[in-house]
């Protein structure tokens, strides 16, 4: 009996120590949450101030552009009054400043592409694609540029000319050619050696995802991009986070088009998490697990 009583006392002491540790951790966690709340409030205030300043700058830019146009006089879009790629970059710069696809500016770009398309110059179309692609990748404006790409593709639909849907438009063909070249280049450098290269690769994948959501990129192309990450024996922490975030966005759409592809993605995510000494951060593991769980509920929690 004495031995049992001693064991009970030890267990009680251990419980008390555990509770003390939990109390300390709880206080630290509450303190950290309060500090995080203050940081979030400060960041929100900074974002509001920055957005206000950006809107003011956007208004100033529009005014200056109108003055320049008035001084230059009327010019034909795509004419010889300046470099075509610089014209497109100027339009894209304005769109980035206002952070939305402004209808007037978007129509201006569509009209410029229409003038190039009518003159049937592949080099000029490539210049436009290059300007849009650089904005999507270098400035990481994939969603904005994907919206513009969709507007341009839709503007080129012409049943009389045999162009009956987005996938057959000249702009889309030029865009896919550029993306294919860049994808091949990224594949040749499987392990980016610097932060800029990693960001470029991540921005390319996000841009492709945005094009897929707008049905400019096919499911097979999107599958190639995803497999480039998921087929690796060991993904990096950032690659797992980026890929999981994309699957949360487009997983249901991919699943609808090809269950076989989605089965492969889930199998690869599970293999990454099950690997010994994978070294993934808790946030990366949480993202990947979330994809697996939501797919298991038929995307109802997405």
């Amino acid at each position: 009996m004495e031995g049992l009583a001693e064991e009970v006392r030890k267990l009680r002491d251990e419980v008390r120590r555990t509770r003390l540790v939990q109390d300390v951790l709880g206080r630290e966690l509450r303190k950290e949450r309060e500090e995080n709340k203050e940081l979030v409030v400060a960041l929100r205030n900074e974002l509001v101030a920055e957005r206000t300043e950006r809107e003011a700058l956007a208004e100033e830019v529009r005014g200056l552009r109108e003055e320049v146009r008035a001084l230059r006089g009327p010019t034909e879009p795509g004419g010889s009054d300046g470099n075509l790629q610089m014209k497109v970059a100027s339009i894209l710069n304005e769109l980035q400043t206002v952070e939305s696809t402004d209808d007037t500016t978007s129509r201006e770009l569509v009209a410029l592409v229409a003038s190039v398309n009518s003159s049937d110059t592949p080099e000029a179309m490539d210049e436009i694609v290059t300007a849009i692609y650089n904005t999507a990748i270098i400035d990481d404006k994939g969603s904005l540029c994907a919206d513009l790409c969709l507007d341009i593709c839709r503007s080129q639909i012409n049943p009389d000319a045999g162009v009956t849907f987005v996938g057959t438009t000249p702009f889309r063909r030029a865009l896919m050619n550029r993306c294919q070249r860049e994808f091949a280049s990224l594949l040749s450098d499987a392990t980016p050696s610097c932060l800029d290269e990693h960001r470029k690769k991540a921005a390319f994948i996000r841009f492709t995802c945005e094009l897929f959501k707008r049905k400019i990129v096919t499911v097979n192309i999107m599958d190639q991009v995803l497999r480039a990450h998921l087929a690796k024996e060991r993904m990096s922490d950032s690659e797992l986070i980026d890929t999981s975030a994309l699957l949360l966005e487009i997983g249901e759409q991919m699943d609808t088009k090809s269950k076989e592809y989605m089965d492969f993605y889930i199998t690869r995510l599970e293999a990454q998490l099950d690997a010994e000494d994978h070294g993934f951060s808790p946030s990366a593991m949480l993202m990947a697990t979330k994809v697996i769980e939501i797919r298991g509920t038929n995307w109802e929690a997405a």
Side-chain angles (χ1 to χ4, degrees), residues 234-248:
R234 182 66 60 88
M235 297 172 68
S236 70
D237 199 71
S238 58
E239 286 174 338
L240 184 62
I241 291 174
D242 291 344
T243 305
S244 298
L246 288 179
L247 287 174
L248 287 173

Side-chain angles (χ1 to χ4, degrees), residues 102-163:
D102 177 71
D103 286 344
T104 302
T105 313
S106 179
R107 284 196 298 270
E108 184 179 353
L109 182 56
V110 169
L112 182 61
V113 175
S115 70
V116 170
N117 188 48
S118 62
S119 63
D120 194 26
T121 53
E123 295 81 6
M125 186 68 74
D126 286 342
E127 282 194 56
I128 294 174
V129 166
T130 295
I132 295 175
Y133 180 88
N134 287 342
T135 298
I137 304 305
I138 298 173
D139 298 325
D140 201 5
K141 297 290 182 181
S143 179
L144 176 79
C145 290
D147 282 338
L148 284 172
C149 290
L150 182 59
D151 288 342
I152 294 170
C153 288
R154 284 174 172 169
S155 73
Q156 291 185 332
I157 292 176
N158 182 3
D160 294 336
V163 183

Side-chain angles (χ1 to χ4, degrees), residues 219 250-259 262 299:
V219 65
I250 65 172
E252 185 174 9
Q253 190 175 349
M254 290 292 292
D255 217 356
T256 302
K257 294 180 178 295
S258 176
K259 183 177 180 298
M262 201 64 216
W299 306 101

Side-chain angles (χ1 to χ4, degrees), residues 39-54:
L39 179 61
V40 168
V41 170
L43 288 173
R44 283 177 178 169
N45 291 337
E46 288 181 14
L47 286 173
V48 170
E50 184 180 342
R51 188 175 293 113
T52 301
E53 182 180 357
R54 193 171 292 166

Side-chain angles (χ1 to χ4, degrees), residues 212-225:
F212 174 71
K213 287 159 64 175
R214 291 157 182 80
K215 300 180 180 180
I216 297 173
V217 160
T218 65
V219 65
N220 290 333
I221 294 175
M222 194 70 240
D223 174 63
Q224 291 178 35
V225 173

Side-chain angles (χ1 to χ4, degrees), residues 96 132-146 149 175 178-179 182-183 186 192 194-214 217 222 225-226 229 238-239 241-243 245-246 249:
Q96 287 185 78
I132 295 175
Y133 180 88
N134 287 342
T135 298
I137 304 305
I138 298 173
D139 298 325
D140 201 5
K141 297 290 182 181
S143 179
L144 176 79
C145 290
C149 290
L175 177 63
R178 177 57 189 265
C179 288
E182 292 297 326
F183 182 56
L186 292 172
C194 69
L195 185 59
D196 285 343
E197 289 175 356
H198 169 74
R199 286 174 176 168
K200 180 181 178 182
K201 190 170 186 178
F204 173 82
I205 295 173
R206 284 193 292 272
F207 181 44
T208 307
C209 172
E210 294 296 337
L211 293 173
F212 174 71
K213 287 159 64 175
R214 291 157 182 80
V217 160
M222 194 70 240
V225 173
L226 289 170
H229 273 336
S238 58
E239 286 174 338
I241 291 174
D242 291 344
T243 305
L246 288 179
E249 275 195 65

